[in-house]
Amino acid sequence: MPELPEVETIKRGLLSTVIDQKIQSIDVLLPKIFIGNTELILGSYISSVDRKGKLLIIALEDSSNVRLFLTIHLKMTGQLLFKSETRPEFALGHPIPPLKSPIPNKSTRAIFVFESGDRLYFNDIRTFGYIKVLDEERLKLEPFLLTVGVEPLTPEFTVELFKKLVSRSVKVPVKPFLLDQTKVAGLGNIYTDEALFWAKIHPTRLIGSLSEEEVERLYISIRKVLTDGVDTLGSSKSSYVTLAGKVGSFLEKAAVYQRAGLPCVVCGNPILRISFRGRGTHFCGNCQK
Ligand SMILES: [Zn+2]
């Protein structure tokens, strides 16, 4: 599943290509992934692209200034591919089928055709992803948006707020706490393992056992790994991202994720991998206590 840096990269790709584009037609090849009436948005222009956690929110305006929104969640295996003769093309998302496969292909679930002739394809091999059309009222009532936690790269995410969230979850191990999207939005397996490494905290520790200093270190580490992830266009090796020919390179600088058996970048001991609550978990048994 894409995490915050990957969805942020997708958002930036869309911002540089689809703003002010007019939707001419929508071809829905698998009805269950498209929730809402496609007719409502034909002729609308895309006015903004936003992100909350791992959810993309695209605002639309028609000639009478009616505001509607498209929300897109890629879930496990979603891809977005932008094809154009005049603008930079990109393909972002899960690596299967390969992002350079001819499209449409058998994983293509919906196609947006813009008046310019550009196209946006939504592919999803396992079909957990979705596209929804919502008006402003419905958008406010979206269960995801009502429950999603704080955005960790905004000024709203202060160390005081993080301490407050931590103090309410003392009996939860630290890794599942970080993966809980209702606490801090956008962290998944990769960035959670990386943040815990830099904070020198063992992933199975209970939140309640963390000292104040450890909580502060974790706060700083979360921001550091997510910022690095955004700066490097996310991680492409296991999953995501090509944008105008660039490939996400975060995993080249990952300290623990997918590095089991390789030497720790700090102490040289081999990185360990365990399964913790069903998630592959990477850490240094020497540095992380
Ligand atoms: Zn180490």
Side-chain angles (χ1 to χ4, degrees), residues 55-85:
L55 185 73
L56 289 164
I57 304 168
I58 298 173
L60 306 167
E61 270 172 32
D62 68 14
S63 49
S64 50
N65 289 328
V66 174
R67 284 204 101 195
L68 289 171
F69 297 87
L70 279 173
T71 61
I72 302 179
H73 203 307
L74 297 179
K75 294 283 181 172
M76 296 294 290
T77 56
Q79 303 176 331
L80 282 176
L81 300 95
F82 178 77
K83 300 294 282 179
S84 171
E85 307 225 318

Side-chain angles (χ1 to χ4, degrees), residues 23 35 83 113 126-127 144 181:
I23 300 173
I35 300 151
K83 300 294 282 179
V113 181
R126 293 186 65 188
T127 73
F144 177 89
Q181 300 300 300

Side-chain angles (χ1 to χ4, degrees), residues 43 50 52 57 118-120 160 164 171 173 177 183 188 195 205 250 264-265 277:
D50 205 349
K52 283 276 185 278
I57 304 168
D118 295 349
R119 286 166 180 245
L120 184 68
E160 290 74 30
K164 203 179 286 177
K171 290 183 177 157
F177 169 80
K183 304 290 192 302
R205 289 260 306 274
F250 179 80
C264 169
V265 293
R277 298 206 170 176

Side-chain angles (χ1 to χ4, degrees), residues 10-23 44-49 58-60 82 87 90 112 114 118-120:
I10 294 174
K11 182 191 99 180
R12 293 178 183 189
L14 291 171
L15 275 174
S16 66
T17 50
V18 301
I19 293 293
D20 293 334
Q21 293 243 39
K22 183 178 182 180
I23 300 173
S44 295
Y45 290 85
I46 294 182
S47 57
S48 70
V49 182
I58 298 173
L60 306 167
F82 178 77
R87 296 168 213 247
F90 63 78
F112 291 81
F114 299 103
D118 295 349
R119 286 166 180 245
L120 184 68

Side-chain angles (χ1 to χ4, degrees), residues 197 264 266-269 271 284 286-287:
F197 173 79
C264 169
V266 173
C267 75
N269 280 17
I271 297 301
C284 174
N286 184 40
C287 294

Side-chain angles (χ1 to χ4, degrees), residues 23 39 66 124 131-132 151 156 159 183 222 248 267 277:
I23 300 173
E39 298 286 326
V66 174
D124 189 359
I131 302 169
K132 284 188 193 179
E151 279 291 321
E156 191 196 341
V159 71
K183 304 290 192 302
I222 289 168
C267 75
R277 298 206 170 176

Side-chain angles (χ1 to χ4, degrees), residues 81 91 97-103 242:
L81 300 95
L99 291 165
K100 288 184 177 164
S101 302
I103 44 172
T242 65

